[in-house]
Amino acid sequence: MERAAQKIVFPKQADAVIGREGEMKRGRAGGMLFRLPWEQALLNFLYLGNQHNTYYASRDDMNYSALKVLISEADPLSAVDIIGEHRYKIPRPKNAVGVYAVLLAIERNPDIAKRLREAFGKIIKNGSDLLYFVKIYKSLGGSWGRGMRSTIEKFYKHLHDIGLLEYTVTKYRSRWGGWSQRDVLRLAHPRPLADYADVFKWVVSGEFSDSLSNTAIEAYMDIVSGADPLGVVDKYLQLDNRAIIMWELFPTDVLRSKELWLKLLDGGVVGGRALLRNMRRFAQIGLLDTQRGANVVAEAIRDTTKTTSPMLILLAALALQYEDAAFKPMVLRQLDHAFGRSFANGVGPQFTNTDKPLAIIVDKSASMNYCNGCLANPMVLAHALAGVLARSWSCNTVDLYVDTSVQTANFAGVAPSALSLVRADGGGTHLDKAIGYLINKKIEPAAVVMISDMETYGSRHVFQLVDELRGQTNMGFFAINVVGGENTIADTANQNDINMAGFDPSMLDVIAAKINGEF
């Protein structure tokens, strides 16, 4: 009598994979996930961080958990090398300075601390970075000895010229809960270059010298003395030096003036990333409720975003959709043109092997939709990532939205062929259903891109279904995390399973390189 064929039983996501229990950890939604190597956990935290509470945990709990992993597992010198490598990429990793400050503050080996300080100039790039570093470093009891004082002195001396120093001490005069350039100078006592003496004197004591006339410092003095803001802008624009007058010099209440922003935009003071960052402000102060205001903003978008990352443009458009403004559609159309133009200018990812469809799977669960309406909402970032990928692909995409009980509206133009896999009884993110759909429909994608907060719970582990889908091929599976966690649904031991942070600017290029067969 022949023995009956043995049935293969796959573990549910609630159970660890037999033989790999030590590599896995239970996620906050209940599913077992793979623990990321500290290098990838670092990148997740650098680019995404945890600045807001999530559906499952508080901001402080998540930050503590992430930093605990980094401090206990990371090699500090290697970690700082990674931070330095990514520091100047755009979008810039927002938590680079904070992590660097923590690593340096807790380091007790003087030789390692000295080597960590040598990276200061690579990571601390402007006055805001400096003040944030000092805030974190001092709060953790970091040493303020000769080595650190010398490091701070080098920062100021490496600002290259007097104009850049003046720009730094005015634009970044005070940040992060009251820390100021004056505080830092009093702590570090740097010896100024001869040309810098008058600037340092003004920062510390407020004494104004004639050498500071027609500088950003005098512009700041004019503003705080109560001079007409529009007159101040006119005065310094006539000097044909836009670095003197900056929108950051003006107090918050003054920045509610539509007339001021029209003057700054007409004068070319605000453009590129700063323009996109202020898009919601323009709607909130009523600038986009007038034809002229909307025209000026649209022209600035057209003229100053030609080489801007499509991700930043789309995020600005998604943020603006939350606001009400009479001429908002005009500005959104210009953002849409800028988005398309960025690809024509070669800024977006370049795919060459697009004979097969690209499967884009977006987690639309309650945890992804938490903090609805704010830029911290992971759903906003997920839609932006999906939109950039869909727009980059010259062939068709299979866009799958995995829902629980929470229904969210699709953003126009982002998912042209979205198919929603709805599970109405709620609870848990069943990302396995999306991979199962591809298998059942016999769809063979060029790659699978899954955008999620990695808080998943389903009948089978996602990575096992991905292995079934790819068969004997080396199809790439990209697990893109949009929350700064330390775990992943992807198989960390499979070179074709690639974990990435949602804001890592190399992400799109890596996806393109894998699909194009470059590795």
Side-chain angles (χ1 to χ4, degrees):
M1 181 176 177
E2 294 185 8
R3 181 181 297 178
Q6 185 176 1
K7 182 179 179 180
I8 300 176
V9 179
F10 291 99
K12 295 182 178 181
Q13 284 189 25
D15 303 319
V17 177
I18 297 174
R20 304 188 67 179
E21 294 89 346
E23 303 171 51
M24 305 189 82
K25 178 182 177 181
R26 190 171 303 282
R28 294 181 175 90
M32 294 298 290
L33 307 168
F34 285 104
R35 296 173 66 246
L36 285 170
W38 71 261
E39 295 89 344
Q40 183 58 48
L42 171 60
L43 287 178
N44 278 2
F45 192 69
L46 290 182
Y47 282 102
L48 298 168
N50 300 299
Q51 295 185 344
H52 299 271
N53 299 339
T54 70
Y55 186 81
Y56 293 103
S58 71
R59 173 192 64 186
D60 292 342
D61 287 344
M62 295 190 70
N63 283 332
Y64 174 78
S65 177
L67 287 172
K68 182 180 178 181
V69 168
L70 295 177
I71 292 170
S72 62
E73 299 181 13
D75 170 63
L77 294 175
S78 298
V80 168
D81 284 343
I82 292 173
I83 295 170
E85 176 188 349
H86 284 257
R87 186 66 188 102
Y88 289 93
K89 292 185 176 180
I90 296 176
R92 293 190 175 95
K94 58 186 177 184
N95 292 304
V97 175
V99 176
Y100 175 60
V102 170
L103 292 172
L104 188 50
I106 66 174
E107 183 55 58
R108 295 295 177 257
N109 184 313
D111 292 330
I112 294 179
K114 179 181 178 182
R115 293 174 64 185
L116 292 177
R117 286 196 300 271
E118 290 171 355
F120 194 90
K122 293 181 180 179
I123 298 169
I124 309 303
K125 62 177 294 294
N126 57 42
S128 180
D129 290 348
L130 176 65
L131 297 181
Y132 188 59
F133 170 86
V134 172
K135 174 188 175 179
I136 301 297
Y137 184 79
K138 288 284 290 180
S139 70
L140 294 174
S143 170
W144 206 261
R146 180 183 300 175
M148 180 51 66
R149 293 198 304 271
S150 175
T151 299
I152 298 293
E153 181 177 298
K154 288 178 182 176
F155 168 82
Y156 285 110
K157 288 184 175 178
H158 289 171
L159 290 175
H160 306 305
D161 61 55
I162 186 69
L164 189 54
L165 176 64
E166 293 162 351
Y167 175 91
T168 297
V169 300
T170 51
K171 179 175 180 178
Y172 308 112
R173 59 196 177 277
S174 178
R175 288 284 196 281
W176 310 113
W179 278 93
S180 67
Q181 299 294 330
R182 181 185 184 189
D183 297 328
V184 176
L185 291 180
R186 286 184 165 182
L187 281 169
H189 301 290
R191 294 163 294 180
L193 299 173
D195 292 344
Y196 290 10
D198 287 345
V199 177
F200 280 17
K201 187 185 298 183
W202 175 79
V203 172
V204 174
S205 67
E207 184 178 336
F208 186 84
S209 303
D210 290 341
S211 64
L212 303 180
S213 298
N214 294 331
T215 66
I217 290 175
E218 187 180 38
Y220 172 71
M221 298 274 294
D222 288 345
I223 292 167
V224 298
S225 67
D228 174 35
L230 302 183
V232 172
V233 175
D234 283 335
K235 173 183 175 181
Y236 292 99
L237 285 181
Q238 289 174 5
L239 298 175
D240 199 27
N241 184 351
R242 290 179 176 81
I244 292 177
I245 192 70
M246 300 165 278
W247 69 270
E248 293 94 339
L249 295 180
F250 294 93
T252 302
D253 59 333
V254 176
L255 289 174
R256 296 190 182 100
S257 166
K258 297 189 289 288
E259 291 73 20
L260 175 62
W261 280 106
L262 285 172
K263 184 79 70 174
L264 293 171
L265 289 163
D266 278 334
V269 174
V270 181
R273 296 177 70 226
L275 174 71
L276 298 175
R277 191 166 63 245
N278 279 292
M279 208 57 63
R280 294 185 82 184
R281 186 200 298 264
F282 297 156
Q284 291 166 357
I285 66 173
L287 184 61
L288 304 186
D289 285 325
T290 67
Q291 178 81 54
R292 180 166 181 260
N295 281 338
V296 170
V297 172
E299 289 173 6
I301 293 171
R302 182 193 63 203
D303 296 339
T304 67
T305 60
K306 294 177 182 177
T307 58
T308 302
S309 162
M311 180 76 72
L312 295 180
I313 296 171
L314 190 51
L315 281 172
L318 295 176
L320 185 56
Q321 292 201 39
Y322 288 121
E323 305 297 333
D324 292 323
F327 292 93
K328 180 176 74 173
M330 175 194 297
V331 177
L332 286 174
R333 282 195 298 272
Q334 193 58 243
L335 286 169
D336 185 54
H337 293 326
F339 180 67
R341 189 169 57 238
S342 66
F343 291 95
N345 293 337
V347 181
Q350 306 297 311
F351 294 101
T352 58
N353 182 18
T354 60
D355 294 334
K356 296 181 178 180
L358 176 67
I360 304 173
I361 299 171
V362 179
D363 176 355
K364 280 179 61 177
S365 63
S367 56
M368 287 284 287
N369 207 46
Y370 193 74
C371 192
N372 191 21
C374 68
L375 287 181
N377 184 352
M379 187 67 69
V380 175
L381 176 55
H383 275 89
L385 293 172
V388 172
L389 286 168
R391 175 63 178 77
S392 306
W393 203 252
S394 62
C395 189
N396 62 312
T397 62
V398 179
D399 304 306
L400 305 178
Y401 285 85
V402 184
D403 295 297
T404 56
S405 60
V406 175
Q407 299 299 308
T408 56
N410 291 331
F411 289 106
V414 171
S417 58
L419 173 66
S420 189
L421 303 177
V422 179
R423 183 175 177 270
D425 53 345
T429 305
H430 287 241
L431 294 171
D432 56 317
K433 288 182 177 293
I435 305 297
Y437 175 88
L438 296 174
I439 293 172
N440 293 335
K441 296 295 183 180
K442 295 182 170 48
I443 298 173
E444 299 180 6
V448 173
V449 179
M450 186 170 284
I451 307 170
S452 171
D453 60 1
M454 303 298 153
E455 295 295 354
T456 180
Y457 187 93
S459 59
R460 281 184 62 182
H461 283 284
V462 171
F463 81 93
Q464 293 175 328
L465 284 161
V466 169
D467 284 344
E468 183 179 332
L469 176 66
R470 68 164 53 105
Q472 301 301 311
T473 72
N474 64 345
M475 180 200 76
F477 171 50
F478 300 91
I480 300 178
N481 196 339
V482 288
V483 174
E486 315 91 58
N487 307 313
T488 179
I489 53 178
D491 186 350
T492 53
N494 190 325
Q495 64 180 0
N496 291 313
D497 286 13
I498 301 169
N499 292 286
M500 310 198 79
F503 258 131
D504 182 346
S506 64
M507 177 192 65
L508 299 173
D509 292 332
V510 171
I511 293 174
K514 176 66 176 175
I515 293 175
N516 294 341
E518 297 173 22
F519 73 90

